[in-house]
Amino acid sequence: MELPSFIAYLSLEKKYSLHTVNAYEKDINTFISFCKEDFSIDDIDKVAYTIIRSWIISMVDAGISNRSINRKIAALKAYYKFLLKIEKIQVNPLAKHKALKTPKKVEVPFSEEEMQKILTQIEFNDDFEGVRDKLMIDLFYTTGIRRSELIHLKLKDLDKSAKTIKVLGKRNKERIVPLLPSTVDLFGIYLEKRKEMNILTEESFVFLSKAGNKIYETLVYRVINSYFSKVSTKIKKSPHILRHTFATHLLNKGADLNSVKELLGHSSLASTQVYTHNSIAELKKIHLLAHPRNKK
């Protein structure tokens, strides 16, 4: 079985994040366990599609969502593609597999009014954590960066004179993202507060906890959810919704799709186009209100 080689390939050649690599390995190991327990098969490298189909059926019967099943099968499909690449197999057993149908996820961005309330009406404490939280929210909304990109942002990546940050995105792709003057000013205030901290255990990173450590995913989510709960009744309040909001608001104001793609760090336009449905809705509203043929 070539699983160790596949994991190394994902990390070193494909440059997938540790989180993604671990997810792939976990999903494939789940299939390995299924094959051993149900079919006494120790080597999955040359299994027939009928075995995989039995696994899919068992997951459906267990109540696992179609989206989760598709993710697991995608990991397995990538493994068999790798085996084809290194000529360990001649046929990918998942070559003709069709993904299970899943409902489309509708992610509702925050409105411009909600963003205005957060950034101009909500009282942030004037201490280190208060200024940090405000900067985090501002940076998500004005740059569209991902949560992991914000967490791993380093001081050396900030260029205040050029008003830019260097972001390390998916698959270790770097991009330069412009900053608004107001965000640069907020950075200055935050960095002054940061200097007053007694302990800095991970000082190369921009965003720290009050203990001086690099911030972590649940802390970021908690901050966003806490503040936005004060101004929004939307069910989902997360860093990703702020990224979604950034893209939607730019497109609503007439930004070019290719430019938004570059700012978001997407590898293809298809990834960016998921945000255009909100832009189209805005255009419909403007069209309805402005066209003389519409009976007001």
Side-chain angles (χ1 to χ4, degrees):
M1 198 154 47
E2 299 290 335
L3 185 56
S5 300
F6 174 63
I7 296 305
Y9 166 75
L10 293 181
S11 301
L12 302 175
E13 287 194 43
K14 301 293 283 183
K15 298 191 183 300
Y16 283 4
S17 69
L18 179 62
H19 174 79
T20 301
V21 172
N22 288 341
Y24 271 55
E25 186 172 20
K26 182 181 177 183
D27 289 338
I28 294 168
N29 277 324
T30 302
F31 179 61
I32 291 170
S33 297
F34 171 81
C35 288
K36 283 181 180 177
E37 292 168 13
D38 286 49
F39 293 94
S40 300
I41 295 172
D42 291 320
D43 187 356
I44 66 165
D45 286 6
K46 294 182 181 179
V47 297
Y49 178 68
T50 52
I51 304 293
I52 300 171
R53 188 171 180 276
S54 296
W55 184 42
I56 294 170
I57 292 169
S58 73
M59 289 190 284
V60 171
D61 290 344
I64 297 172
S65 71
N66 284 6
R67 183 169 279 110
S68 294
I69 293 172
N70 286 342
R71 191 201 68 233
K72 294 175 189 295
I73 297 302
L76 198 59
K77 195 171 187 176
Y79 176 63
Y80 288 122
K81 275 188 175 180
F82 171 73
L83 294 183
L84 275 175
K85 181 183 175 73
I86 63 172
E87 299 181 347
K88 287 289 182 179
I89 60 173
Q90 279 71 51
V91 179
N92 184 340
L94 282 162
K96 295 182 179 180
H97 172 77
K98 291 183 179 178
L100 303 181
K101 289 184 178 179
T102 57
K104 286 187 177 180
K105 286 172 71 178
V106 178
E107 295 186 326
V108 183
F110 297 115
S111 66
E112 290 186 40
E113 290 74 21
E114 286 170 328
M115 293 310 307
Q116 276 296 107
K117 283 180 183 178
I118 279 286
L119 295 171
T120 62
Q121 296 180 26
I122 292 292
E123 287 290 330
F124 290 85
N125 291 335
D126 193 33
D127 56 8
F128 167 76
E129 285 186 287
V131 176
R132 179 203 65 194
D133 294 352
K134 185 172 185 178
L135 176 58
M136 282 166 50
I137 292 170
D138 183 281
L139 201 60
F140 276 131
Y141 179 49
T142 60
T143 66
I145 61 174
R146 300 176 178 94
R147 174 167 55 179
S148 62
E149 293 169 348
L150 179 135
I151 289 171
H152 293 98
L153 191 66
K154 294 187 174 182
L155 288 173
K156 65 181 178 62
D157 299 325
L158 171 64
D159 189 335
K160 289 175 69 178
S161 60
K163 296 184 175 62
T164 61
I165 51 172
K166 184 169 67 177
V167 174
L168 188 64
K170 287 186 175 181
R171 303 183 191 180
N172 291 330
K173 289 182 180 177
E174 287 186 351
R175 70 183 188 279
I176 303 297
V177 180
L179 299 175
L180 296 178
S182 57
T183 306
V184 175
D185 293 341
L186 196 52
F187 254 115
I189 298 168
Y190 167 72
L191 293 175
E192 286 301 316
K193 293 285 184 185
R194 193 177 179 278
K195 286 178 184 176
E196 296 170 8
M197 295 178 68
N198 295 322
I199 304 171
L200 295 174
T201 54
E202 295 183 271
E203 58 184 325
S204 63
F205 294 96
V206 171
F207 290 101
L208 304 176
S209 67
K210 63 181 178 181
N213 302 314
K214 181 181 70 173
I215 57 171
Y216 45 94
E217 288 195 356
T218 51
L219 184 151
V220 179
Y221 178 83
R222 195 164 62 239
V223 166
I224 300 304
N225 191 64
S226 172
Y227 283 103
F228 277 89
S229 293
K230 299 175 183 178
V231 301
S232 178
T233 57
K234 289 181 175 65
I235 295 171
K236 193 170 182 182
K237 297 177 277 287
S238 68
H240 183 70
I241 295 298
L242 272 172
R243 179 170 162 86
H244 188 55
T245 302
F246 164 80
T248 301
H249 289 186
L250 282 183
L251 290 166
N252 283 348
K253 296 296 184 183
D256 172 67
L257 191 63
N258 266 306
S259 300
V260 176
K261 166 185 169 290
E262 293 301 318
L263 288 168
L264 291 171
H266 284 158
S267 56
S268 71
L269 269 180
S271 301
T272 315
Q273 283 171 331
V274 299
Y275 302 111
T276 59
H277 72 278
N278 290 293
S279 182
I280 291 167
E282 186 72 14
L283 286 172
K284 283 181 177 178
K285 187 168 72 175
I286 293 167
H287 177 259
L288 192 67
L289 291 171
H291 201 283
R293 286 286 293 162
N294 179 44
K295 294 177 180 179
K296 303 291 193 295

